[in-house]
Amino acid sequence: MSETTGTAALTKKSFQSDQEVRWCPGCGDYAILSAVQSVFAELGIPREKFVFVSGIGCSSRFPYYMNTFGFHTIHGRAPAVATGIKIANPDLSVWVVTGDGDALSIGGNHIIHAMRRNIDIKVLLFNNRIYGLTKGQYSPTSEQFKKTKSTPYGSIDPPFEPISLALGSGATFVARTVDVLVPHMKEIVRRAAAHRGSAFIEILQNCVIFNDGAFEEWTARESRDERSLHLVQGQPLLFGKDRKRGVMRAQCELRIVDLGDDCAEEDLLRHDETREDPAMAFELAQFGAGKGNPLPIGVFRAVSHPTLETLVHEQMREVRGKKGQGSIEKLIAAGETWEVK
């Protein structure tokens, strides 16, 4: 990163690096990069306080293109590196950029424990349901029976549902947005930046070369109103072009209903992202995975828990207060030791 800046004159351009952006023309990553650079200019945080950490994949080139500190690590290990950075430097704003292959395959174990620990890092998961960098193998989020170069007869295993995984891991901020919904994406990034704790954002991202149109039914102008369910805090679960369809609970299940004589808006479920119990958020995530159901987009969960780095430093102060400042030499010499001859 170039010189330190303060916050007085930061603009989107302040966060653009001098590196040539090398994604395929039309890739959804461009929109995500632009949105993040725009939002960061608004946050009032000096550039030198940001760190981007990535693993391997198309998305993981992201740190090259941000004029901040960055770390392009090894496959799937970005959450572990980001955890170390945040604990050692709690005043930094630490962001992980990863893809569905990087985070949910080789990095699966790392991502769930980062979320479980509520370390204050922000994870941007670019989900294009394919391995793009290695030219088109099926990924952990590819739909069942998808034919790719590595599954010529169709993939057999069912896919991960990333939102459900994040909720099940205990993430305290969980959201979904889409690369073509730029204002919505910016708002989700702003909210993640303001959240204290583990934030997980799934960004549906189109790969124009190896999986073009994977999310078209939720993004095409003619169908998106009927196929998307926007989650708004405190508001009823409504969707459809005329907002005449909704979601209610019937016999312990979520069901789609048409508003009319037998069903009013008051009968619909209302979204509450602040519920401590993640069961309802998980139910919505699974509902969206159901064939023909509208896909929930927005913030599923936003709750406040103590962060890992806060607890770690509190514990360190407590132990130092009781035992004094330690040293590496005393630690090595403590307990049973032996000499190998």
Side-chain angles (χ1 to χ4, degrees):
M1 194 189 72
S2 58
E3 77 284 358
T4 58
T5 60
T7 60
L10 291 180
T11 64
K12 176 183 176 182
K13 192 173 182 179
S14 304
F15 290 93
Q16 295 172 343
S17 76
D18 60 359
Q19 298 296 300
E20 180 185 356
V21 182
R22 294 184 177 180
W23 286 316
C24 302
C27 176
D29 290 0
Y30 287 96
I32 302 171
L33 176 65
S34 176
V36 170
Q37 290 168 334
S38 295
V39 171
F40 275 27
E42 307 168 1
L43 297 179
I45 301 173
R47 273 191 302 131
E48 56 270 22
K49 294 292 185 182
F50 288 104
V51 182
F52 274 87
V53 187
S54 66
I56 298 297
C58 293
S59 64
S60 293
R61 297 188 60 79
F62 206 91
Y64 294 134
Y65 309 138
M66 291 294 296
N67 190 14
T68 64
F69 287 110
F71 200 153
H72 192 177
T73 70
I74 57 177
H75 214 341
R77 271 58 174 178
V81 174
T83 296
I85 292 171
K86 186 65 182 181
I87 288 178
N89 304 276
D91 59 330
L92 296 181
S93 180
V94 182
W95 295 69
V96 169
V97 178
T98 184
D100 44 298
D102 185 57
L104 304 180
S105 184
I106 191 170
N109 206 33
H110 294 269
I111 198 79
I112 61 175
H113 290 290
M115 298 296 99
R116 171 178 70 85
R117 291 167 174 150
N118 197 36
I119 183 81
D120 184 24
I121 61 176
K122 325 301 177 188
V123 177
L124 304 179
L125 181 119
F126 297 13
N127 181 11
N128 56 19
R129 294 183 171 175
I130 202 77
Y131 280 94
L133 188 68
T134 50
K135 305 192 184 308
Q137 299 80 24
Y138 86 118
S139 88
T141 57
S142 295
E143 59 271 35
Q144 197 174 29
F145 309 122
K146 185 174 186 62
K147 293 184 178 180
T148 70
K149 291 177 179 177
S150 60
T151 53
Y153 305 111
S155 61
I156 296 171
D157 43 315
F160 262 130
E161 203 293 298
I163 296 294
S164 299
L165 183 72
L167 291 167
S169 301
T172 50
F173 182 91
V174 180
R176 174 188 287 135
T177 186
V178 188
D179 58 0
V180 296
L181 302 180
V182 174
H184 185 268
M185 182 165 49
K186 287 182 176 179
E187 180 57 25
I188 295 295
V189 172
R190 286 189 197 98
R191 290 204 52 190
H195 178 74
R196 285 278 294 152
S198 58
F200 179 94
I201 305 175
E202 178 193 17
I203 306 176
L204 305 184
Q205 176 261 332
N206 193 40
C207 174
V208 292
I209 304 300
F210 297 106
N211 205 19
D212 192 24
F215 304 108
E216 192 170 4
E217 62 179 300
W218 300 297
T219 59
R221 188 179 299 274
E222 60 273 15
S223 59
R224 63 190 181 194
D225 289 337
E226 301 298 328
R227 300 291 291 119
S228 300
L229 175 64
H230 284 262
L231 304 177
V232 181
Q233 173 63 13
Q235 296 299 308
L237 298 179
L238 277 168
F239 67 100
K241 187 174 182 179
D242 300 321
R243 294 180 62 77
K244 295 294 186 183
R245 308 191 77 192
V247 179
M248 65 180 296
R249 187 177 299 286
Q251 296 179 343
C252 300
E253 295 181 348
L254 300 187
R255 290 190 180 177
I256 297 172
V257 294
D258 294 319
L259 298 185
D261 295 338
D262 297 329
C263 182
E265 195 170 300
E266 291 73 25
D267 299 321
L268 302 179
L269 287 173
R270 288 184 178 272
H271 184 53
D272 185 1
E273 64 191 31
T274 66
R275 289 169 64 108
E276 184 62 34
D277 185 343
M280 184 65 206
F282 186 82
E283 199 171 15
L284 280 171
Q286 290 296 302
F287 175 76
K291 187 175 179 58
N293 290 342
L295 186 73
I297 293 172
V299 177
F300 287 72
R301 187 180 196 224
V303 297
S304 179
H305 290 180
T307 65
L308 179 69
E309 70 274 14
T310 301
L311 297 176
V312 166
H313 286 274
E314 285 179 357
Q315 186 180 60
M316 289 169 62
R317 283 191 292 272
E318 181 180 346
V319 173
R320 282 173 180 155
K322 292 178 180 176
K323 296 188 174 183
Q325 181 70 38
S327 72
I328 190 69
E329 292 79 11
K330 290 180 180 178
L331 179 63
I332 292 174
E336 296 182 1
T337 59
W338 64 92
E339 183 179 355
V340 177
K341 295 184 178 178

